[in-house]
Amino acid sequence: MEQNRRQFIYNTLAGLTTITVGPQLLANTPLLFKRSYESKPWLELSKSAYLHNAAQISKMAGGKPVIAVLKNNAYGLGDVQVAKILNNSTSIASIAVVTDESAIAIGRAGVKKSILLMGDFDFDNGPSLVNGHVILSIFSKDSLKKIQLLSQETKKLVKVALYVDTGLGRMGIPYEQTHTIAQEISKSGGLKITHTFSTLTSPKDFAIRQIHRFETLIKNLNENGISTGLAHLAPSYSLLDLSNSHQDAVRPGILLHGSFPNAKMEKAKEFPLEVSYRLKAPVIRLEKLKAGDTIGFSRFYKVEREEWIATLPIGWADGYDSRAENGAKVLLGNELYKVVNVNSSHTNISLGSETKIKIGDVATLIGPENPEITPAGFAKLIDGNNYLQIQYKESLPKRIYETF
Ligand SMILES: *Cc1c(COP(=O)(O)O)cnc(C)c1O
């Protein structure tokens, strides 16, 4: 008997793997099997919020232009999509990214702002970058040689940025060595310095020393007839914390999306930002669980009295922070509900003993609608920070709105 059953399952599975789902089969699919609702999560971006934030950031910096850092796929929100929106902002001077692929994709999407590539590039991509008006960073002697060769091969004047390490210790030419390299650039021809930049650390006393190192370098280079172009130092934290970090332009990332680097920043009240995105997912399952039932692999959530549990098709593999199960909420209709479990591809919500929620209703996991689901409110509820909670997977579809 057992043998037969196994054989049966085997045959069925073997059969299943060979079924080809052709157009004929699809045409005859019963209506019941056609989905009448969304079944995947997505992101929504607000054009007006991004434009508002860019203008506010420039105001925070006393009117200085903004170089928008859209590295890491704009912290998961879509580098190309956000760059296309910011292309219409008069406060934005340039878009800064770390990978050559990102720089090329943004350029190909029709973004007209200059693009500052803060990282390395594949030599094969060199001509596309130069033709796409991408400014290439010189962060070492080798990167200088590579860009000089690119200029010779393309017979083009290549715009470059001097990337200086004033103390972050991560990328760039150590500041004591920058003068020599800058002199070599100005002697060799084919290259034009249009930016000089560095990155500040957060502790104020050290950031002030970094600013001094940077300003001394710029002054010495200029006195020696070497033009340094646009000078910039400040990521979001420093631009809020230290007004002499502003230089010729500021270089924020996270502020553009409507989040402050941390919850306690003074400037937050003076220069309110708008949450620029929503994370949404539909309810794909609705079940009334009994007292004693549990949810999740680790049986993380225990149902104490009968309650409706909704499943959303989103999890930590999509970039939704797994710590949400420690107290985050989501908006469904006009009400907030508690997240009770987050797995790699699923999240469960407790709806209480009675509910009007239906399969297909759409939950907002992050958005501007309620202080508990804003990026900052969410970060607070999960005891996380504003950066780590935005790492959304590139494959999440993005829908662009004029305004929310
Ligand atoms: C990430 C980064 C920024 C922006 O940082 P935020 O904290 O998001 O404002 C600026 N400059 C460099 C070099 C960076 O790597």
Side-chain angles (χ1 to χ4, degrees):
M1 180 69 189
E2 183 58 24
Q3 188 68 26
N4 288 345
R5 188 169 162 270
R6 254 199 227 136
Q7 196 58 38
F8 173 70
I9 291 171
Y10 176 78
N11 285 340
T12 312
L13 285 175
L16 266 178
T17 56
T18 59
I19 287 180
T20 48
V21 183
Q24 251 180 340
L25 188 64
L26 285 180
N28 296 328
T29 307
L31 213 54
L32 180 66
F33 296 148
K34 298 206 172 171
R35 274 199 297 254
S36 56
Y37 55 88
E38 307 282 352
S39 60
K40 290 186 187 124
W42 69 90
L43 285 163
E44 296 178 352
L45 307 182
S46 161
K47 284 188 190 175
S48 70
Y50 275 106
L51 299 178
H52 168 87
N53 293 345
Q56 282 292 86
I57 295 166
S58 176
K59 273 193 208 155
M60 292 173 191
K64 296 281 170 67
V66 175
I67 296 170
V69 176
L70 303 184
K71 64 180 180 191
N72 306 329
N73 194 30
Y75 293 141
L77 293 160
D79 51 4
V80 169
Q81 291 84 353
V82 175
K84 280 172 79 176
I85 296 172
L86 293 178
N87 193 38
N88 297 313
S89 167
T90 51
S91 308
I92 301 287
S94 295
I95 307 287
V97 294
V98 174
T99 68
D100 46 353
E101 290 87 356
S102 176
I104 291 169
I106 289 171
R108 288 203 176 133
V111 170
K112 296 285 174 257
K113 305 278 184 193
S114 63
I115 301 168
L116 170 61
L117 175 58
M118 303 192 294
D120 200 2
F121 61 95
D122 187 310
F123 201 79
D124 290 343
N125 286 333
S128 304
L129 293 163
V130 173
N131 295 330
H133 309 290
V134 175
I135 301 153
L136 302 174
S137 289
I138 294 174
F139 47 82
S140 63
K141 285 187 188 141
D142 282 349
S143 67
L144 168 58
K145 281 194 205 130
K146 186 171 177 178
I147 296 170
Q148 282 172 326
L149 183 64
L150 181 64
S151 168
Q152 286 157 17
E153 293 210 347
T154 57
K155 300 188 175 55
K156 289 234 158 113
L157 181 72
V158 179
K159 291 181 183 170
V160 295
L162 267 182
Y163 191 165
V164 188
D165 179 10
T166 53
L168 185 63
R170 187 181 72 176
M171 270 293 277
I173 311 160
Y175 70 100
E176 308 97 320
Q177 300 168 25
T178 309
H179 200 106
T180 320
I181 291 190
Q183 273 177 322
E184 192 183 330
I185 296 170
S186 81
K187 268 190 298 191
S188 76
L191 270 52
K192 181 178 160 49
I193 300 171
T194 63
H195 288 245
T196 297
F197 72 102
S198 186
T199 308
L200 295 177
T201 57
S202 307
K204 214 175 206 149
D205 53 345
F206 189 64
I208 289 167
R209 272 169 61 192
Q210 288 184 276
I211 294 172
H212 182 70
R213 290 170 178 172
F214 187 74
E215 287 178 343
T216 307
L217 172 71
I218 300 263
K219 188 163 154 282
N220 288 342
L221 288 172
N222 292 346
E223 280 172 6
N224 280 289
I226 299 170
S227 57
T228 42
L230 209 63
H232 44 95
L233 278 171
S236 299
Y237 186 89
S238 323
L239 91 86
L240 292 160
D241 200 42
L242 271 174
S243 59
N244 60 344
S245 71
H246 298 164
Q247 305 290 313
D248 298 332
V250 291
R251 215 177 53 237
I254 196 154
L255 289 173
L256 293 160
H257 312 293
S259 295
F260 284 81
N262 69 44
K264 294 188 196 77
M265 303 217 69
E266 293 276 318
K267 289 271 201 306
K269 284 197 199 81
E270 206 183 325
F271 298 99
L273 298 174
E274 292 177 10
V275 173
S276 65
Y277 66 97
R278 289 193 191 110
L279 175 65
K280 289 191 160 183
V283 173
I284 57 163
R285 181 184 194 254
L286 207 52
E287 281 298 329
K288 197 173 204 174
L289 300 196
K290 305 180 297 297
D293 287 349
T294 62
I295 305 171
F297 291 107
S298 63
R299 309 192 72 203
F300 178 77
Y301 184 70
K302 292 184 175 56
V303 176
E304 280 173 8
R305 60 192 73 85
E306 239 185 23
E307 66 179 316
W308 284 95
I309 299 291
T311 301
L312 307 177
I314 182 169
W316 51 256
D318 301 291
Y320 183 57
D321 198 308
S322 64
R323 289 169 297 176
E325 66 190 13
N326 297 326
K329 295 182 179 159
V330 308
L331 190 68
L332 256 168
N334 295 320
E335 276 193 63
L336 289 173
Y337 296 96
K338 245 179 88 176
V339 175
V340 295
N341 178 54
V342 180
N343 289 155
S344 61
S345 322
H346 298 102
T347 289
N348 291 104
I349 311 294
S350 163
L351 303 178
S353 56
E354 295 298 329
T355 190
K356 291 200 173 75
I357 301 298
K358 300 179 303 298
I359 285 184
D361 286 356
V362 174
T364 307
L365 297 96
I366 303 285
E369 281 75 14
N370 185 291
E372 294 187 87
I373 61 162
T374 63
F378 176 80
K380 198 169 154 198
L381 286 178
I382 67 165
D383 201 18
N385 79 38
N386 288 347
Y387 289 89
L388 295 181
Q389 67 95 358
I390 35 178
Q391 314 193 37
Y392 302 124
K393 201 170 176 181
E394 200 165 344
S395 58
L396 285 183
K398 282 98 189 158
R399 301 181 186 179
I400 315 298
Y401 286 70
E402 288 302 321
T403 192
F404 279 168

